Amino acid sequence: MAEEIQKKLQKELEVLSGVQKEYHKAVAQKQQLDSQLNENKAVKEELMLLKKDAEVFKLIGPVLVKQDLEDARQNVAKRMEYISKEIKRTDNHIAGLENKQESLQENLNKLRNDLGKLKIKA
Amino acid sequence: MATISSAPAPGMQQIDLSKLNLPQLAQLKQQLDQELNVFQDSLQTLKMAQGKFVESGESVDKLTPETKGKTILVPLTESMYVPGTIADSENVIIDIGTGYYAQKDIDGARDYFKRKVQFVTEQMEKIQMMGIEKSKAREAICMMMEMKLQAQAQAQGQGQALKATRS
């Protein structure tokens, strides 16, 4: 009986560490997205400050290609929209993983308790 | 002094340090140490960015109408230069981030770098303030740990003294 619980415990621990790994990955991803959003925000502000006839270039590989200012503004706005969506998605993912971790932790505690009781009996 | 506020974020919570046990305090301290390290790193990075903006701003100041047509050495790599002439001393092209470059006149460029330096400086100040808060919290935790350790040592000492008198 004790061995069975021990095995279960081991398995649960493995699952938990897997979830934790995924959680850390998701958090890192969110941070990256956040910084991308911030950079895009700064660029958008800068593009808004430019005069209508200002020249804007985009770095494509090693060359600067001239771009239409309006196009550039729209492009950045679109990018920000996309990144915001990604952030929301990642947030949901993180919340889900948090819930999963909690329930796993509870399960683990229960198993540990059971094991402890068995040991006392034995 | 015993109650400190940790995490000024939305999840602001007051924790009574005296109610925590030693391992919990140690964990909290470790967490704060980690956060302080992140702050330190961020400050370093910001300082570097600030330096770059200041440097660029100074370079803009050196580009006056008189410099037009003058020869300069253009770096092809860090250690190889070719001679060139300044064709346009009124406009510069600035990297505004995410692969976009914008042409600005000298005044515009000067303004841009001034704004950027100001922005970075503000961020640094914010982080410094947060760092001070966290350091205070860390100190409080250290003090509480010290107190708990002493109390524990005393309790043990008394226990041993009791045993000694019994035997």
Side-chain angles (χ1 to χ4, degrees):
Chain A
M1 187 65 181
E3 238 168 64
E4 219 171 276
I5 292 180
Q6 188 85 45
K7 253 188 203 156
K8 241 186 184 167
L9 201 71
Q10 201 73 36
K11 232 180 217 162
E12 290 280 301
L13 266 174
E14 265 164 37
V15 175
L16 181 67
S17 83
V19 172
Q20 269 169 345
K21 228 187 217 167
E22 209 180 327
Y23 174 76
H24 284 303
K25 226 166 81 185
V27 169
Q29 197 183 8
K30 200 208 144 163
Q31 274 168 351
Q32 206 197 343
L33 284 169
D34 265 335
S35 72
Q36 274 176 355
L37 185 66
N38 277 331
E39 196 182 351
N40 275 292
K41 250 188 218 158
V43 174
K44 194 183 172 199
E45 265 168 40
E46 212 48 57
L47 287 175
M48 285 305 169
L49 281 169
L50 287 175
K51 290 183 210 106
K52 261 205 181 119
D53 55 344
E55 294 193 28
V56 180
F57 304 86
K58 191 167 176 18
L59 187 70
I60 301 173
V63 287
L64 285 176
V65 182
K66 203 174 153 185
Q67 293 247 309
D68 188 52
L69 180 57
E70 202 44 50
D71 277 354
R73 281 181 184 160
Q74 273 171 15
N75 195 353
V76 172
K78 223 184 274 166
R79 222 167 13 188
M80 278 174 70
E81 205 182 302
Y82 171 74
I83 293 170
S84 301
K85 260 189 215 154
E86 278 296 291
I87 287 179
K88 249 184 220 155
R89 210 176 56 91
T90 318
D91 271 342
N92 283 338
H93 190 49
I94 287 174
L97 286 173
E98 262 168 10
N99 280 339
K100 225 178 187 176
Q101 266 189 65
E102 244 170 71
S103 65
L104 276 169
Q105 200 78 50
E106 256 172 52
N107 235 345
L108 265 176
N109 284 342
K110 230 175 89 192
L111 281 173
R112 279 214 185 96
N113 256 338
D114 288 352
L115 199 67
K117 270 184 210 154
L118 271 175
K119 272 202 180 137
I120 288 169
K121 262 192 212 161
Chain B
M1 191 63 200
T3 50
I4 54 115
S5 60
S6 87
M12 182 120 160
Q13 35 182 184
Q14 291 258 331
I15 302 172
D16 189 355
L17 283 182
S18 59
K19 285 205 177 96
L20 297 178
N21 58 27
L22 269 174
Q24 279 171 325
L25 283 170
Q27 203 187 356
L28 205 56
K29 180 173 165 275
Q30 204 187 358
Q31 202 183 327
L32 281 170
D33 278 341
Q34 262 170 13
E35 281 172 36
L36 279 169
N37 270 335
V38 172
F39 284 167
Q40 213 64 44
D41 286 349
S42 306
L43 271 181
Q44 203 103 40
T45 317
L46 282 170
K47 212 171 201 166
M48 261 161 57
Q50 191 190 36
K52 269 186 195 163
F53 284 133
V54 169
E55 209 179 308
S56 298
E58 281 167 2
S59 301
V60 168
D61 281 334
K62 290 199 185 100
L63 216 57
T64 55
E66 294 93 70
T67 54
K68 189 169 180 176
K70 287 208 172 139
T71 50
I72 49 161
L73 287 171
V74 185
L76 287 188
T77 69
E78 266 172 59
S79 54
M80 190 172 75
Y81 299 80
V82 290
T85 49
I86 297 175
D88 184 357
S89 63
E90 271 121 55
N91 294 298
V92 287
I93 295 172
I94 299 173
D95 178 1
I96 53 172
T98 69
Y100 279 109
Y101 288 71
Q103 191 175 52
K104 280 179 184 282
D105 54 17
I106 296 296
D107 283 333
R110 205 177 284 140
D111 175 60
Y112 172 83
F113 289 121
K114 220 170 89 187
R115 269 188 292 123
K116 285 289 160 186
V117 169
Q118 199 188 350
F119 175 76
V120 173
T121 311
E122 268 168 30
Q123 299 301 314
M124 281 170 77
E125 273 162 14
K126 265 190 220 162
I127 290 180
Q128 256 154 359
M129 292 303 287
M130 274 154 76
I132 290 170
E133 279 288 305
K134 299 263 177 201
S135 295
K136 268 188 202 154
R138 205 192 89 101
E139 245 170 70
I141 288 169
C142 283
M143 259 173 55
M144 191 48 74
M145 278 173 85
E146 197 85 23
M147 270 164 67
K148 295 240 167 176
L149 275 172
Q150 258 173 22
Q152 214 172 46
Q154 229 165 36
Q156 243 166 31
Q158 270 172 0
Q160 258 158 18
L162 239 123
K163 256 189 221 157
T165 47
R166 263 190 208 148
S167 61

